[in-house]
């Protein structure tokens, strides 16, 4: 068993009675996740090739991700709203030998769903030699999907950093997952929640498109931490009811993926005067983010908001030929 897998098992056991993931009226505890993902891993451990995990926000997606990790197989999250021709390109480029289809749909690329994957041969002992935890495919500058592999060491460093950044000093909170699992922003809310005993509140795309229903969902689930892009926050602020008086449980907003501007932050502080606004920066290749800063009310007077200090323990940043170069440990 690898160090990451051992640590993950310990976390799932430590918080076994807590709810890890909620989607609408369904939920799964840390203990249930360990049991189901561990069982799945025994059917995945016979191979070392990447596994494409296709679906949206349902609980089977969560079980599939953790099952792959426990089997030490790289997983590739792909959302159901991805065009089918792009999905097929990702399968070919990644050389995935297995697709776990959690969408409930029949597609030409479907090989197994989580429900019938148990037809595979069981593996009594998992000894896969693999350093890559997951791979996220971006569009690439040419429009051709580009896979970004993230190692267990990369992810371990990121989890350590995100768990200790200023503004995230919470014991037990409900963290909202808005981004698709195929978007690197979701790595923040997923692994921050998982390794700190928090509850991850999933939200489906169709729900996100209905503003009033989405805000009701935030209220119903007592959301404390929101992980958003600035664009999505602007959308929520269109409803004038979205403020501290009506959503008193919201304590922090974490922004990444786009430029955060002072005009938006001023609007946030007008609605949520006592919340934390965290600005983070980092490309997919840097495991979602490498820098962060709590934007104070004084900072909103700046023309350009800072992106914070780089995680100096795990990264080095320099300017080479006019380009910002970020280097990790490995």
């Amino acid at each position: 068993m690898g160090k990451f897998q051992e640590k993950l098992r310990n976390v799932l056991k430590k918080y076994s009675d807590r709810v890890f993931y909620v989607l609408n009226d369904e939920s799964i505890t840390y203990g249930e996740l360990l049991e189901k993902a561990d069982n799945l891993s025994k059917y995945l451990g016979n191979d070392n090739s990447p596994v494409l995990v296709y679906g949206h926000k349902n609980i089977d997606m969560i079980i599939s991700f953790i099952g792959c990790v426990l089997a030490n197989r790289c997983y590739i999250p792909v959302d159901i709203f991805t065009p089918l021709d792009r999905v097929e390109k990702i399968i070919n480029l990644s050389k995935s030998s297995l697709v776990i289809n959690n969408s409930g749909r029949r597609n030409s690329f479907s090989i197994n769903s989580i429900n019938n994957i148990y037809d595979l041969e069981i593996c009594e002992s998992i000894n896969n030699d693999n350093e890559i935890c997951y791979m996220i495919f971006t569009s690439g500058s040419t429009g051709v999907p580009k896979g970004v592999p993230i190692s267990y060491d990369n992810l371990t460093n990121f989890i350590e950093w995100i768990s200790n950044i200023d503004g995230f000093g919470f014991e037990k909170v409900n963290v909202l997952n808005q981004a698709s699992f195929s978007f690197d922003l979701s790595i923040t809310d997923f692994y921050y929640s998982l390794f700190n005993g928090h509850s991850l509140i999933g939200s489906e795309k169709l729900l996100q498109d209905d503003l009033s229903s989405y805000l009701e969902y935030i209220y119903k689930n007592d959301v404390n931490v929101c992980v958003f892009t600035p664009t999505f926050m602007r959308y929520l602020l269109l409803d004038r009811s979205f403020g501290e008086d009506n959503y008193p449980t919201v304590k922090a907003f974490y922004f990444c993926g786009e430029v955060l501007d002072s005009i938006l932050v001023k609007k946030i502080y007008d609605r949520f005067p006592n919340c934390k606004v965290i600005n983070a920066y980092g490309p997919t290749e840097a495991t979602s983010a490498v820098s962060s800063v709590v934007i104070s009310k004084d900072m909103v007077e700046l023309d350009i908001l800072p992106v914070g200090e780089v995680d100096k323990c795990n990264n080095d940043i320099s300017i080479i030929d006019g380009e910002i170069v970020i280097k990790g440990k490995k």
Side-chain angles (χ1 to χ4, degrees), residues 20-23 53-63 65 75-82 102 134-137 176-191 200-204 208 284:
F20 169 61
Y21 186 67
V22 175
L23 183 70
V53 181
Y54 179 78
H56 190 43
K57 295 294 187 77
N58 58 32
I59 289 175
D60 282 349
M61 290 291 282
I62 307 298
I63 297 170
F65 296 155
Y75 70 88
I76 302 170
V78 178
D79 195 86
I80 58 173
F81 294 98
T82 305
N102 296 312
Y134 67 86
M135 186 183 302
I136 285 183
F137 272 78
L176 185 65
N177 160 250
Q178 178 267 320
S180 160
F181 290 133
S182 60
F183 181 31
D184 69 324
L185 181 61
S186 69
I187 296 299
T188 297
D189 51 64
F190 186 87
Y191 282 102
L200 186 64
I201 312 299
S203 60
E204 299 177 288
Q208 295 170 25
T284 305

Side-chain angles (χ1 to χ4, degrees), residues 31-324:
E32 291 168 338
L33 179 56
L34 174 59
E35 179 183 359
K36 293 182 179 182
D38 195 30
N39 189 29
L40 176 61
S41 71
K42 296 173 182 177
Y43 295 85
L44 298 174
N46 286 310
D47 197 335
N48 200 29
S49 61
V51 177
L52 189 138
V53 181
Y54 179 78
H56 190 43
K57 295 294 187 77
N58 58 32
I59 289 175
D60 282 349
M61 290 291 282
I62 307 298
I63 297 170
S64 298
F65 296 155
I66 302 304
C68 287
V69 172
L70 293 179
N72 199 17
R73 287 187 69 172
C74 167
Y75 70 88
I76 302 170
V78 178
D79 195 86
I80 58 173
F81 294 98
T82 305
L84 295 185
D85 61 340
R86 177 178 167 84
V87 179
E88 291 171 348
K89 287 179 181 177
I90 291 174
I91 293 172
N92 293 330
L93 288 168
S94 66
K95 296 181 172 55
S96 298
S97 64
L98 177 65
V99 175
I100 301 179
N101 182 2
N102 296 312
S103 69
R105 304 173 179 176
R106 291 185 178 182
N107 295 302
S108 60
F109 54 79
S110 299
I111 301 176
N112 290 92
S113 71
I114 197 171
N115 294 318
N116 65 24
I117 203 169
Y118 302 107
D119 294 334
L120 300 176
E121 182 181 351
I122 193 169
C123 178
E124 296 294 346
S125 179
I126 297 171
N127 297 302
N128 285 338
D129 181 18
N130 173 44
E131 295 182 355
I132 305 302
C133 180
Y134 67 86
M135 186 183 302
I136 285 183
F137 272 78
T138 66
S139 60
S141 58
T142 62
V144 177
K146 180 185 72 172
V148 179
I150 301 297
S151 72
Y152 288 108
D153 285 341
N154 296 149
L155 185 55
T156 298
N157 293 338
F158 175 75
I159 293 170
E160 178 183 355
W161 171 75
I162 196 69
S163 299
N164 292 285
I165 66 169
D166 190 15
F168 267 9
F170 303 108
E171 289 294 327
K172 171 70 177 73
V173 291
N174 294 332
V175 181
L176 185 65
N177 160 250
Q178 178 267 320
S180 160
F181 290 133
S182 60
F183 181 31
D184 69 324
L185 181 61
S186 69
I187 296 299
T188 297
D189 51 64
F190 186 87
Y191 282 102
Y192 167 65
S193 299
L194 182 62
F195 277 82
N196 288 279
H198 301 321
S199 294
L200 186 64
I201 312 299
S203 60
E204 299 177 288
K205 187 178 187 302
L206 295 178
L207 179 63
Q208 295 170 25
D209 291 339
D210 183 345
L211 180 53
S212 60
S213 295
Y214 193 75
L215 292 177
E216 182 181 350
Y217 190 71
I218 292 175
Y219 178 82
K220 174 185 174 182
N221 287 285
D222 294 326
V223 168
N224 308 115
V225 177
C226 300
V227 178
F228 290 153
T229 60
T231 295
F232 194 75
M233 186 64 184
R234 291 188 186 94
Y235 168 63
L236 296 186
L237 289 174
L238 291 175
D239 191 312
R240 293 187 178 277
S241 73
F242 188 48
E244 190 171 282
D245 291 342
N246 297 316
Y247 300 85
T249 63
V250 176
K251 303 300 181 185
F253 294 100
Y254 173 99
F255 294 103
C256 196
E258 299 170 359
V259 175
L260 180 67
D261 62 76
S262 57
I263 295 175
L264 177 59
V265 178
K266 286 179 181 178
K267 291 180 180 179
I268 295 171
Y269 278 135
D270 284 343
R271 303 278 189 92
F272 294 88
N274 296 303
C275 74
K276 298 274 190 179
V277 176
I278 303 164
N279 191 23
Y281 168 81
T284 305
E285 290 81 355
T287 323
S288 185
V290 294
S291 70
S292 71
V293 60
V294 175
I295 302 297
S296 68
K297 293 179 181 179
D298 292 335
M299 289 181 186
V300 297
E301 302 304 323
L302 299 172
D303 293 333
I304 300 176
L305 296 177
V307 294
E309 292 188 3
V310 172
D311 171 23
K312 295 179 180 177
C313 294
N314 298 311
N315 299 279
D316 178 58
I317 188 167
S318 60
I319 306 295
I320 300 177
D321 296 330
E323 297 284 345
I324 299 175

